Amino acid sequence: AETPNAFPSLGASGDRFTFVMGGFKSRERVAVWINLPDGRIAVDGIEQLDRATAQGHVSWIWNAPEDAQIGQYQMVAQGVTSGIQQLANFEVREAAKPAAGGNIEPKQATPGRLVLFYASGFRLDEDLHFWANQPDGTIIVLDLESEHLADGRVDASWTVPDDAKPGAWQIVVHGVDSGIEQVLPFEVRIK
């Protein structure tokens, strides 16, 4: 029998794992299942395998669910006719959260000036609301074209109104689903 393999051997919830195993009879059907960290057995999300190759190899993928249990897993493959069983141990850790934060440039802008900003830490593809807090406490709702990136970050730009009052301003980016808000302060100065 050959050494079974899991790639990666350590991943996060939401990651894709690839398994390559050998040592089965030529062209035999191979059943696969997964032993979960809590001791239960699962077959959900595991693709159905074709028969082993003429050399007795099989390979398949498994996408760890976003809510995958954290801990040690074992992928099991067993030859249906031979009874040969191979195991691949791997671990799922908690997915790293996207770094939360943001920045705006320039930090001091004049009326009519374009400001560029980004904000991060949001859920993937969640809807975002944008507004600007003016120095007097009133709000301007911003209707921005923004590009949602796959890592929970949004990049956008906004033109400071020509009649903007001088003082401390803030652009606020609000995640509708997560409730996460990034507040980006800047100053408006009159030329």
Side-chain angles (χ1 to χ4, degrees), residues 17-179:
F17 292 83
T18 303
F19 300 91
V20 180
M21 296 186 186
F24 299 103
K25 292 212 176 296
S26 178
R27 303 280 181 213
E28 82 173 312
R29 288 187 50 238
V30 177
V32 294
W33 64 90
I34 193 167
N35 294 329
L36 302 174
D38 67 5
R40 290 182 301 129
I41 293 172
V43 294
D44 293 350
I46 302 171
E47 69 177 87
Q48 292 301 306
L49 297 188
D50 293 326
R51 293 180 179 271
T53 65
Q55 296 78 31
H57 291 93
V58 290
S59 65
W60 69 98
I61 60 167
W62 177 70
N63 291 308
E66 293 295 335
D67 61 351
Q69 293 177 34
I70 305 306
Q72 294 290 330
Y73 283 72
Q74 196 172 55
M75 187 64 77
V76 182
Q78 181 171 322
V80 173
T81 52
S82 68
I84 293 169
Q85 195 174 83
Q86 300 284 4
L87 309 173
N89 294 303
F90 65 103
E91 185 178 350
V92 174
R93 290 197 180 152
E94 202 164 323
K97 301 288 185 257
N103 195 13
I104 188 166
E105 290 296 336
K107 302 278 191 249
Q108 298 172 345
T110 52
R113 174 81 191 262
L114 183 72
V115 291
L116 307 173
F117 62 93
Y118 82 87
S120 60
F122 302 102
R123 292 188 183 156
L124 303 187
D125 297 325
E126 82 174 304
D127 288 332
L128 301 174
H129 290 161
F130 302 88
W131 65 85
N133 294 328
Q134 300 183 78
D136 64 5
T138 59
I139 291 173
I140 300 173
V141 175
L142 309 181
D143 183 22
L144 298 179
E145 290 294 318
S146 64
E147 190 172 327
H148 294 265
L149 302 180
D151 59 1
R153 171 177 158 150
V154 62
D155 290 85
S157 61
W158 179 64
T159 303
V160 178
D162 291 333
D163 60 354
K165 304 281 187 282
W169 285 65
Q170 297 171 327
I171 287 184
V172 180
V173 183
H174 173 85
V176 174
D177 298 328
S178 65

Side-chain angles (χ1 to χ4, degrees), residues 109-112 189-191:
T110 52
R189 289 188 170 176
I190 305 300
K191 295 176 189 168

